[in-house]
Structure formats: structure tokens, C-alpha cells
Amino acid sequence: MKRTTTALLVLAAMLAAPAAQAAGNIDCELNFNLSGWSIFYKTASGQGTITCDNGASIPVSIRAKGGGLTVGKSNVINGRGKFTGAYSLNDLIGTYGGAEVHAGASRSSNAQVVTKGDISLALAGTGRGWDLGIGFGKFEIKRR
């Protein structure tokens, strides 16, 4: 009897885990402001809010760091990002990696995709500044 109960509990646990993921991905967006500079080393920081279709929302701080053949100074206002591959809001917090090519003067625009495991974040924004180069590095999202 004890073995049967244990076996049923193990089977139930195995079936429950895939069921949680089978519920499907959540659709989430990041609205943000970001400013930074680059001279071979690129750094930027800002704040934003992640909002999901399941009603969840959290304020976040953002930091981007990297390097490459890059120079400039920029300020992105009302940037937007779209997450794919997440099952919960907690999946979105962390460090993403990526690369970008950017160019602009006065009124600048930028788009890039960064990834963290199975989760991707497509970023797009316009702003003011001037920049030119090819960069790579990390994009970090933390709870505020």
C-alpha cells in the first residue's frame, strides 16, 4: 500500500509539471527609457515597466553594458520591447545577451534582439543623440 501511494504521488508530480508549462506562454511587453554613452565600451541605464497579458506588471531597472567598435551618446524615450518564450513574469528578470549595429545623428533609432535561454526580447526605440558602431554585450533587467 505504501509503495502504491508513493508511486501515485511520483506519477502525479510528473504529470503536474508539464501541465504548468502546457498552459502556454504569456505575452509581455517592456516600456522603458534608457540613456547612455559609448567609446569602445558601451554603457546605458534606465527604468521601465513590464506588463503581461495575464494582468501582471512590475517596475524594473535596466542596465546595458558591452563593447565593440562603437562611439556615441544617446537617450531613448518610450522604448518598447516584446518578450517571447516566457511562462511567468519571473522568467523575464535576468541578464540577456546580444549584438547590435547602430547609427544615428540628432534623431536616432535602434532595434535589436537579446536572448536569455529560450526567452527572447525584441527591443525598438527612438531617441536623441548620435552614435555609430557595432556593439555586443549584456542587457540586464532587475526588479525595482
Side-chain angles (χ1 to χ4, degrees):
M1 176 78 168
K2 188 175 183 180
R3 282 189 177 169
T4 304
T5 304
T6 303
L8 287 174
L9 288 174
V10 169
L11 182 59
M14 288 174 25
L15 292 174
Q21 282 195 342
N25 292 1
I26 57 173
D27 290 326
C28 298
E29 291 187 354
L30 170 66
N31 294 313
F32 65 94
N33 296 324
L34 192 67
S35 62
W37 57 268
S38 65
I39 300 179
F40 295 108
Y41 177 79
K42 183 176 183 175
T43 184
S45 60
Q47 296 183 344
T49 302
I50 297 175
T51 307
C52 300
D53 65 350
N54 65 359
S57 177
I58 59 169
V60 295
S61 61
I62 301 165
R63 176 162 283 187
K65 291 184 179 182
L69 300 173
T70 179
V71 63
K73 183 178 179 182
S74 61
N75 187 22
V76 175
I77 300 169
N78 295 323
R80 297 182 60 87
K82 175 109 173 106
F83 293 95
T84 57
Y87 291 96
S88 77
L89 192 59
N90 290 330
D91 293 344
L92 307 176
I93 306 301
T95 302
Y96 295 74
E100 68 174 319
V101 175
H102 52 94
S106 180
R107 197 117 170 107
S108 180
S109 64
N110 191 1
Q112 74 179 97
V113 175
V114 293
T115 60
K116 178 182 85 151
D118 292 336
I119 300 171
S120 294
L121 171 58
L123 298 162
T126 58
R128 293 188 172 90
W130 57 274
D131 57 336
L132 177 65
I134 300 170
F136 56 88
K138 65 181 183 175
F139 188 87
E140 185 177 37
I141 301 174
K142 292 183 178 181
R143 292 180 187 268
R144 255 192 296 148

